[in-house]
Amino acid sequence: MSLDKSEAAALSRLFSATVLRDLGKQARSPLFTRLLDHTRFATYMSPEATVGTVFDEAFELLSKSRFRDDYVYRAAITEKILLGRHSLNTATLLNEVRAGSCKADVVVLNGTATAYEIKSERDSLARLRNQVFNYRQVFATVNVVVSTSHLSEVLKATPEDVGVITLSERFRFQTSREAQNRPERIVPSMVLEVLRVDEAAAVLTGLGQEIPAVPNTQIRSELDRIFAELDPAAVHEEMVKILRASRSQANLATFIGSIPASIRAASLAAKPTPKSRARIKEAVDTPLTEALAWK
Amino acid sequence: MYYPYFRGKQFELIAIRESANLIADSGFVPIIEPVRESLGGLEKALKALADVGAEAVVVVNPRHGDHRENGENIAGLLEQEYRGNDAISAGILLTSETNASRALSLTRNFSAAGTTLIHAGFTESRALSDQLASDATRFRNIFLEDQANRLYRRHFVGKPRVLVGDGFVQMKNADYPPVETFSDLHITYPEQGMDGYGDFLTVGDNYSEGGGPAYAVAIHLTFIDPDQDDAMFVYHFKSDTNDTPTDPAGKFAQALGKLVAKLDSGNSNLLETSAVLEFRDLHERGHFPGLGYVKKLSIKHHLETLAEFHSANSNG
């Protein structure tokens, strides 16, 4: 079947935080079923289909349609870079990371910190310059992942050290310009904004600096003062090391390996507890015929 | 008397627990709508109240939070721990989504004397009161002011009758004015034919789950103004640097600085409650105890302010 616009919008919401939260809390999601009802999708599925196969088929359709959304790109980064090139034991993925006045869509921490800004066929490029300007002050490597329709404009609009990657119609990454790893250009006080107080303290300790002994209402401004004096590359390296440990997703590795590929990115973002993981598993194994009554 | 309406979030339940003696001594009756899946905090709060002989109403069919679909665990807790204790009783929430037959079956399941009907948008008042007939007088009636109008209230005359108004106008923290009116129900409830009144404390009726990082930090403190016929007002002390969601501790210090300056001005009308003493101590130590803790102090201050108001009135 080929999707129309409203069907694509419904399928895209299948991978939303709301559906994942429902599944994690109750092992069922009324929204999932209502969204399917908006499409002709259920009638195309085989009688043996489960919720998991519905997710995978829906993703397949979305990723090949004219309506590829942000999630298709997010899932590609999760699958091909985080889990493909690295693993949850060696790398950590963060969503929506603050950088100045913007938020980076995805950041992967392994030996360095790499920000990915997604510009799908639905996104406008109006904010791109400002976003890239901010990301380069926080992350050593910056990539823009784009649909081919945006490629030439993005290549022109971004500096040489910013990588540009396209996601082909066959769901493959192609690097049009390799990103450069430039930790020396980051601004330590902007990195500080990404960190919790305990993480910032750990960065200081790692750099052999004293942690200021002030009441907690003054700690931020004190840290701000100290970070401003630090060496950018050293701060970046320590930040990567600390965040990779403090935000580690290694405990989700088995769970992520056990669920359909299409919902891995959404499941990582949901940070499920052990109980929620079991419920999500139970939900994806539910036969579709049963799930159609989840309303 | 006073019926504060709590959504049973953690800091609200701790505020109840720590105020149990005050609640008992003042004859306040907290209404608690449990919203969290885990009932541990609720159990502790109820035990603290029961130990000092305070009353409480526990909503057995919450409309918000984790028990929205199914309140059986709450009913089970009441049945198991408090069957023999009339001080801890069930409250039935009647909303716009409750139909008359559902309402009636709830009143049959929770038929103990002292069960409370909470009228919160229910539309079939006539049908329900006809069905309840003479049984209607066994129920205590609580009306949410903006969700049960005067004509509606006529159908439920069983005593006592309590009017709960939401004095707290919720908005984005950065948008609060420095001071605004809160409520005059603590004075005017008898004129409205009521035996008691209530509010949603300094939290408000609007329910939201957790929520994202705060751009602004605000401390809400209520006070009674003797120069304005003892009406209640609320101060909103806000932080100044509200453009990013970073450094809540530093923002708290800014808001707290304003609170202490107002207290020290000598004309704040703020009562020096145990919560205010804690705020002064936090100010001296430059310490930020977390946003939930700040909410708890704000609630305790509100309870103590009304307790003091009623005790002064009954003595004088």
Side-chain angles (χ1 to χ4, degrees):
Chain A
M1 66 184 268
S2 87
L3 294 175
D4 66 37
K5 197 171 172 189
S6 84
E7 287 179 316
L11 292 188
S12 157
R13 271 200 83 196
L14 285 181
F15 302 95
S16 65
T18 314
V19 169
L20 257 291
R21 194 167 50 235
D22 285 354
L23 298 183
K25 273 196 160 170
Q26 313 164 30
R28 60 200 288 282
S29 167
L31 178 59
F32 174 94
T33 309
R34 288 202 304 274
L35 289 170
L36 277 190
D37 279 352
H38 285 301
T39 71
R40 297 158 289 158
F41 199 70
T43 55
Y44 282 81
M45 297 297 293
S46 81
E48 299 89 57
T50 63
V51 170
T53 43
V54 169
F55 274 124
D56 275 352
E57 296 280 328
F59 185 83
E60 175 86 15
L61 270 176
L62 264 184
S63 67
K64 298 217 162 107
S65 74
R66 300 178 285 132
F67 309 104
R68 288 204 304 201
D69 63 345
D70 175 86
Y71 184 75
V72 170
Y73 287 78
R74 237 173 243 277
I77 295 169
T78 303
E79 216 37 42
K80 292 169 191 295
I81 295 169
L82 179 72
L83 304 173
R85 279 183 227 163
H86 312 296
S87 81
L88 288 175
N89 290 316
T90 59
T92 298
L93 180 146
L94 308 177
N95 288 295
E96 307 290 339
V97 186
R98 174 160 294 279
S101 57
C102 309
K103 279 181 175 174
D105 289 326
V106 175
V107 172
V108 174
L109 304 158
N110 56 324
T112 186
T114 307
Y116 295 90
E117 176 59 29
I118 294 165
K119 292 297 175 201
S120 75
E121 20 288 84
R122 297 181 179 191
D123 294 323
S124 116
L125 299 180
R127 288 158 59 224
L128 183 62
R129 274 172 206 273
N130 186 41
Q131 286 169 326
V132 165
F133 174 78
N134 278 283
Y135 303 163
R136 287 165 85 231
Q137 299 186 303
V138 181
F139 310 106
T141 307
V142 176
N143 280 302
V144 189
V145 188
V146 302
S147 76
T148 40
S149 59
H150 287 318
L151 179 61
S152 60
E153 206 182 333
V154 169
L155 279 169
K156 265 185 267 164
T158 50
E160 277 297 300
D161 58 286
V162 170
V164 181
I165 303 170
T166 52
L167 183 62
S168 76
E169 315 221 309
R170 297 165 66 196
F171 203 57
R172 295 226 175 94
F173 277 143
Q174 277 155 356
T175 303
S176 292
R177 187 167 69 209
E178 192 80 43
Q180 296 166 23
N181 190 49
R182 300 270 301 277
E184 71 283 355
R185 64 156 190 233
I186 65 105
V187 178
S189 62
M190 289 192 54
V191 168
L192 177 62
E193 288 190 11
V194 176
L195 303 172
R196 299 190 303 252
V197 170
D198 58 319
E199 291 165 340
V203 166
L204 286 188
T205 309
L207 296 174
Q209 298 266 341
E210 293 273 323
I211 298 163
V214 296
N216 71 353
T217 50
Q218 293 160 31
I219 190 91
R220 272 279 164 192
S221 43
E222 197 58 21
L223 286 168
D224 225 6
R225 203 180 53 72
I226 298 172
F227 267 64
E229 307 288 315
L230 298 174
D231 171 57
V235 167
H236 188 269
E237 184 183 344
E238 208 54 37
M239 176 264 286
V240 170
K241 210 185 295 173
I242 299 297
L243 283 184
R244 209 171 62 199
S246 63
R247 318 261 177 113
S248 168
Q249 295 152 328
N251 63 340
L252 294 175
T254 319
F255 164 68
I256 290 296
S258 74
I259 55 176
S262 60
I263 61 162
R264 286 179 186 155
S267 302
L268 269 179
K271 301 191 185 109
T273 62
K275 267 190 194 165
S276 305
R277 286 174 228 161
R279 292 190 199 118
I280 293 171
K281 277 280 288 164
E282 182 191 332
V284 294
D285 292 337
T286 306
L288 176 59
T289 46
E290 209 175 291
L292 289 176
W294 276 350
K295 277 171 265 188
Chain B
M1 193 42 119
Y2 179 46
Y3 292 73
Y5 195 114
F6 292 85
R7 297 274 151 64
K9 286 190 175 175
Q10 193 189 10
F11 62 84
E12 298 182 58
L13 294 170
I14 297 173
I16 293 176
R17 210 162 81 206
E18 292 179 359
S19 307
N21 275 313
L22 179 98
I23 290 169
D25 293 349
S26 312
F28 292 170
V29 184
I31 308 157
I32 309 170
E33 179 178 349
V35 290
R36 291 281 179 253
E37 183 179 10
S38 154
L39 294 176
L42 175 67
E43 277 186 74
K44 278 193 219 158
L46 291 179
K47 180 161 187 317
L49 290 170
D51 284 351
V52 294
E55 267 192 76
V57 173
V58 181
V59 174
V60 292
N61 59 332
R63 75 164 127 178
H64 294 298
D66 299 336
H67 302 279
R68 193 180 51 201
E69 310 262 331
N70 179 349
E72 275 172 26
N73 291 340
I74 303 167
L77 172 73
L78 287 185
E79 171 68 19
Q80 212 165 40
E81 304 286 330
Y82 297 102
R83 186 165 35 174
N85 182 346
D86 347 323
I88 309 293
S89 59
I92 298 169
L93 203 51
L94 301 174
T95 73
S96 54
E97 289 175 19
T98 319
N99 59 34
S101 68
R102 171 76 182 141
L104 203 62
S105 89
L106 280 164
T107 59
R108 290 205 181 104
N109 291 347
F110 300 93
S111 56
T115 293
T116 301
L117 300 180
I118 302 164
H119 304 276
F122 183 63
T123 50
E124 299 176 61
S125 52
R126 182 73 186 267
L128 179 62
S129 69
D130 283 354
Q131 294 272 356
L132 287 173
S134 63
D135 280 349
T137 53
R138 290 192 296 114
F139 296 102
R140 170 158 61 192
N141 291 289
I142 291 181
F143 305 101
L144 302 195
E145 193 176 25
D146 56 348
Q147 296 164 37
N149 61 31
R150 280 163 189 258
L151 200 57
Y152 176 104
R153 290 176 215 157
R154 265 202 217 159
H155 291 286
F156 299 93
V157 293
K159 283 208 158 192
R161 289 151 51 91
V162 176
L163 191 58
V164 174
D166 185 6
F168 192 80
V169 184
Q170 211 176 33
M171 49 186 100
K172 262 171 56 191
N173 277 348
D175 297 342
Y176 285 110
V179 59
E180 68 182 319
T181 52
F182 186 87
S183 172
D184 56 20
L185 273 182
H186 57 291
I187 303 163
T188 58
Y189 70 86
E191 292 161 26
Q192 309 209 34
M194 294 289 153
D195 308 292
Y197 72 98
D199 58 34
F200 291 87
L201 305 125
T202 49
V203 179
D205 184 15
N206 260 328
Y207 177 77
S208 70
E209 288 280 343
Y215 279 72
V217 169
I219 306 170
H220 313 287
L221 285 187
T222 46
F223 65 96
I224 284 171
D225 188 348
D227 293 336
Q228 303 216 43
D229 304 319
D230 285 338
M232 189 172 239
F233 296 82
V234 58
Y235 286 118
H236 306 289
F237 301 104
K238 294 184 298 183
S239 52
D240 299 312
T241 51
N242 301 329
D243 298 325
T244 64
T246 52
D247 198 13
K251 288 172 183 166
F252 171 70
Q254 294 168 355
L256 187 58
K258 292 182 191 171
L259 157 56
V260 170
K262 183 51 102 175
L263 278 169
D264 291 345
S265 74
N267 58 14
S268 69
N269 281 316
L270 285 166
L271 194 64
E272 292 273 341
T273 60
S274 71
V276 163
L277 292 179
E278 269 205 69
F279 276 122
R280 284 187 184 279
D281 177 58
L282 292 169
H283 179 67
E284 258 165 52
R285 288 162 44 216
H287 181 69
F288 172 54
L291 291 173
Y293 197 98
V294 173
K295 277 249 180 256
K296 181 193 84 175
L297 289 182
S298 163
I299 291 171
K300 286 174 74 173
H301 174 80
H302 183 68
L303 293 173
E304 285 178 48
T305 297
L306 283 170
E308 166 68 23
F309 171 75
H310 289 299
S311 91
N313 267 21
S314 59
N315 294 336

